[in-house]
C-alpha cells in the first residue's frame, strides 16, 4: 500500500468531490464508499481557513479487496488521523477508484471539527 497526502486544499468543495465522483456523480470505475458528498462540499465551502480540506489516497497493488477489508482499512485510517474524535466529530468522504488497474481508496476531509 502506498499512502499519498496531496498538496491541495485551498479551493472550494466542488473541486475535490467532482474529481473523485465526476461532475455528474458518475465517474467511470468510481464508487462512493462512505460519506455525503453534498455535506462535505458545504463544510469545505463554509470554512474561513486558507487550507480548507485535506485529501489523500491509499493505493494498493491489488485490483480489489473484500468489502470488509476496505471498511477495516478506512476505519483504521480514520482512527490514526483523528485520535480521540468520534466519527460524528469530523466529516470524511471515501471514494474508491479502480480505473488504473489497481484499487485506490481516496479520502477528502474538511479541516474543521
Amino acid at each position: 500500500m502506498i499512502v499519498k497526502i496531496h498538496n491541495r486544499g485551498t479551493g472550494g468543495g466542488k473541486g475535490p468531490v467532482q474529481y473523485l465522483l465526476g461532475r455528474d456523480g458518475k465517474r467511470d470505475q468510481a464508487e462512493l464508499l462512505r460519506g455525503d458528498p453534498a455535506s462535505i462540499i458545504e463544510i469545505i465551502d463554509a470554512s474561513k481557513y486558507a487550507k480548507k480540506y485535506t485529501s489523500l489516497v491509499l493505493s494498493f497493488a491489488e485490483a480489489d479487496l473484500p468489502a470488509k477489508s476496505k471498511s477495516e482499512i478506512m476505519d483504521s485510517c480514520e482512527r490514526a488521523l483523528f485520535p480521540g474524535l468520534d466519527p460524528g466529530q469530523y466529516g470524511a468522504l471515501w471514494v474508491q477508484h479502480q480505473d488504473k488497474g489497481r484499487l485506490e481508496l481516496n479520502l477528502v476531509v474538511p479541516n474543521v471539527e
Side-chain angles (χ1 to χ4, degrees):
M1 175 178 69
I2 297 171
V3 178
K4 180 173 182 178
I5 300 173
H6 299 289
N7 187 21
R8 295 182 178 86
T10 58
K14 281 186 181 178
V17 172
Q18 287 182 348
Y19 169 76
L20 293 177
L21 292 170
R23 290 192 184 274
D24 59 358
K26 298 177 183 176
R27 179 178 169 167
D28 189 38
Q29 297 189 39
E31 179 182 348
L32 176 64
L33 298 178
R34 189 180 289 177
D36 176 32
S39 295
I40 296 298
I41 291 169
E42 186 176 322
I43 295 167
I44 291 171
D45 288 348
S47 175
K48 296 188 185 328
Y49 297 117
K51 182 86 170 178
K52 297 178 178 204
Y53 66 90
T54 299
S55 62
L56 64 87
V57 62
L58 308 177
S59 181
F60 300 85
E62 297 85 357
D64 203 1
L65 293 171
K68 182 178 180 189
S69 295
K70 289 186 261 191
S71 183
E72 290 170 352
I73 290 166
M74 291 184 293
D75 290 344
S76 177
C77 185
E78 288 181 23
R79 283 192 304 274
L81 292 172
F82 312 114
L85 296 180
D86 294 324
Q89 290 180 272
Y90 58 88
L93 181 72
W94 285 96
V95 177
Q96 169 182 294
H97 285 174
Q98 292 178 295
D99 57 333
K100 297 176 183 90
R102 65 182 178 274
L103 174 65
E104 294 180 341
L105 300 179
N106 298 276
L107 173 65
V108 174
V109 180
N111 291 340
V112 295
E113 180 180 350

